[in-house]
Amino acid sequence: MSTNSKLKKEGIEIIEKLDTLKVNTIAINVASKLCLAFPEHNLNRSELFESLSRLSMYIAKMPEDTSGAKYFYKNNSIYFNEIFDIQEMSKLAVHECIHFIQSSRVSSNSKMGFYNSISDSGLGLNEASVQLMASEANLSNTTTETYYGITINSISPNYYPLECTLVEQIAYFTGTYPLFDSTLNSNDIFKNTFIVKSDKHTYNTIVKNLDKLLALESDLNYYSLDLQYADKINSIKLLNKLINKNKEEIMSLFFKTQNLIIEKCFKSEFNNIRNIDDVKNFNKKLYNFKNLIGYSDNYTFYNDFYCKMMNAIEEKKIYIEKYGEINLFENINTSLILVDNTKNIFYFVNRFIRKIKKLVGFNVSKEQDINNI
């Protein structure tokens, strides 16, 4: 499909091309923000400015359900909604220019960041990670917002807020460096880091859930726009039914994913505890996680899980105080390891030992380690 056909399909109608002065203004603004925000990722401001200044940028009419800007990698162009001034364009351009960096750093167009066009997967994770970088570069403030009955503290209230919240939760365990490095360079550093912190099945499930969440929100926007122009009672009833159904599915999927992150990651952290300092760090980390989660009127999972973990950590603390630091390779007390009831204890003890060996530097091949997670 040609670029013009794709633009037409997405409802984007070009009004005018931005002049060189405005393009350079946006390019230097974005290059400066990214280099200041992420010095550890070796971004060169002059080189980045030179690359961004070569992009074609347009003012266009865009559908109400789209974001304020859109990057097309096939013709290296960015299209801005006509309602925004140059200052707002510079903010919106950060997200799109990160997409440009993604496309310029891969040898194949089949993968950009976390998105794989061949398998059509990873779009939700990719958009969320890019938006988190853009929000950080723009020095965005955190605000409390409610979406579909879910209340969150969001650094990105207008773009992918639920997806960003979930990815922030994951980055709480992995750190942001692996997340942003994989975002920019389309590698598996983040994936492998998170698998060590949880497991392979959990990672794949979360990626799929983020894609589903993005699709549900897209459908919801479509139904909401249709409702604005519906004039028949049957159509209005059907659209309202579809909208309510989508909202319920979004809420359910969000909390299902959040609960999975909480359970898998904190159980893994718990099983890595060896001494009293680890106990203190775990308590602090579990408590502070409350600032990242989404809530609803009926949501109780985090509080229930917190109480359960406090009981478990107290038992482990008593054991350490009585017998000393836990040796993770000898005489493992299986009562101090939290396991998944769907798998037997021997599987988890073996998996646990392998993780610890990797953490302390045992010579375990990367491929073999990942396959056994």
Side-chain angles (χ1 to χ4, degrees), residues 321-360:
E321 289 174 341
K322 184 174 181 179
Y323 298 105
E325 184 171 295
I326 298 174
N327 189 321
L328 299 176
F329 306 106
E330 296 178 4
N331 302 321
I332 292 179
N333 186 333
T334 56
S335 67
L336 301 177
I337 299 176
L338 296 177
V339 300
D340 187 337
N341 291 330
T342 61
K343 297 181 179 180
N344 63 57
I345 184 65
F346 300 105
Y347 170 89
F348 270 87
V349 169
N350 181 61
R351 174 171 165 250
F352 178 55
I353 292 173
R354 292 186 60 80
K355 279 190 176 185
I356 299 305
K357 284 183 177 180
K358 183 172 183 179
L359 288 173
V360 300

Side-chain angles (χ1 to χ4, degrees), residues 77-140:
S77 298
I78 299 177
Y79 302 86
F80 296 100
N81 195 312
E82 62 179 330
I83 66 175
F84 297 116
D85 58 21
I86 188 67
Q87 185 177 2
E88 190 63 27
M89 286 182 197
S90 292
K91 290 181 180 180
L92 293 170
V94 177
H95 183 109
E96 307 310 322
C97 287
I98 294 173
H99 281 317
F100 163 73
I101 295 172
Q102 289 180 317
S103 66
S104 65
R105 290 190 174 186
V106 293
S107 58
S108 170
N109 288 328
S110 63
K111 188 174 183 182
M112 283 180 56
F114 298 103
Y115 176 63
N116 189 320
S117 60
I118 296 177
S119 60
D120 193 25
S121 64
L123 183 60
L125 175 56
N126 194 58
E127 290 297 344
S129 61
V130 168
Q131 184 55 34
L132 285 174
M133 292 188 73
S135 296
E136 190 168 326
N138 282 320
L139 301 178
S140 301

Side-chain angles (χ1 to χ4, degrees), residues 1-235:
M1 182 183 295
S2 67
T3 301
N4 288 337
S5 298
K6 191 170 184 180
L7 287 173
K8 186 176 180 180
K9 182 179 179 181
E10 297 196 17
I12 298 175
E13 181 182 341
I14 297 174
I15 297 176
E16 63 176 323
K17 187 174 183 179
L18 290 182
D19 60 45
T20 302
L21 178 61
K22 289 182 179 178
V23 171
N24 287 344
T25 299
I26 292 173
I28 191 62
N29 185 288
V30 173
S32 298
K33 285 181 176 180
L34 290 176
C35 290
L36 286 171
F38 309 108
E40 68 275 20
H41 292 287
N42 300 317
L43 296 170
N44 183 289
R45 185 166 65 172
S46 60
E47 291 178 1
L48 189 54
F49 164 73
E50 185 176 352
S51 298
L52 296 178
S53 64
R54 293 174 182 170
L55 294 173
S56 297
M57 301 185 188
Y58 300 89
I59 296 175
K61 292 182 179 179
M62 302 177 73
E64 295 178 24
D65 62 337
T66 60
S67 60
K70 183 80 173 182
Y71 168 69
F72 279 81
Y73 71 89
K74 287 186 176 180
N75 63 350
N76 275 341
S77 298
I78 299 177
Y79 302 86
F80 296 100
N81 195 312
E82 62 179 330
I83 66 175
F84 297 116
D85 58 21
I86 188 67
Q87 185 177 2
E88 190 63 27
M89 286 182 197
S90 292
K91 290 181 180 180
L92 293 170
V94 177
H95 183 109
E96 307 310 322
C97 287
I98 294 173
H99 281 317
F100 163 73
I101 295 172
Q102 289 180 317
S103 66
S104 65
R105 290 190 174 186
V106 293
S107 58
S108 170
N109 288 328
S110 63
K111 188 174 183 182
M112 283 180 56
F114 298 103
Y115 176 63
N116 189 320
S117 60
I118 296 177
S119 60
D120 193 25
S121 64
L123 183 60
L125 175 56
N126 194 58
E127 290 297 344
S129 61
V130 168
Q131 184 55 34
L132 285 174
M133 292 188 73
S135 296
E136 190 168 326
N138 282 320
L139 301 178
S140 301
N141 296 319
T142 299
T143 60
T144 302
E145 306 286 347
T146 300
Y147 307 90
Y148 320 117
I150 307 167
T151 300
I152 58 174
N153 296 316
S154 177
I155 195 176
S156 177
N158 298 319
Y159 304 102
Y160 312 110
L162 298 182
E163 291 85 353
C164 285
T165 295
L166 293 171
V167 175
E168 274 192 294
Q169 292 175 10
I170 298 172
Y172 187 73
F173 298 96
T174 65
T176 57
Y177 181 84
L179 175 66
F180 296 157
D181 188 76
S182 292
T183 301
L184 294 172
N185 299 303
S186 306
N187 58 41
D188 288 336
I189 291 176
F190 172 74
K191 175 183 177 180
N192 292 339
T193 302
F194 183 63
I195 286 175
V196 170
K197 298 290 184 178
S198 57
D199 57 62
K200 191 172 184 179
H201 177 71
T202 298
Y203 175 82
N204 291 333
T205 299
I206 290 172
V207 170
K208 290 177 182 178
N209 287 356
L210 288 168
D211 286 343
K212 290 178 184 177
L213 194 59
L214 202 64
L216 286 168
E217 290 174 336
S218 178
D219 289 343
L220 183 59
N221 287 334
Y222 177 81
Y223 298 143
S224 297
L225 284 175
D226 270 7
L227 184 61
Q228 294 181 23
Y229 302 101
D231 54 5
K232 295 181 180 179
I233 294 177
N234 287 340
S235 296

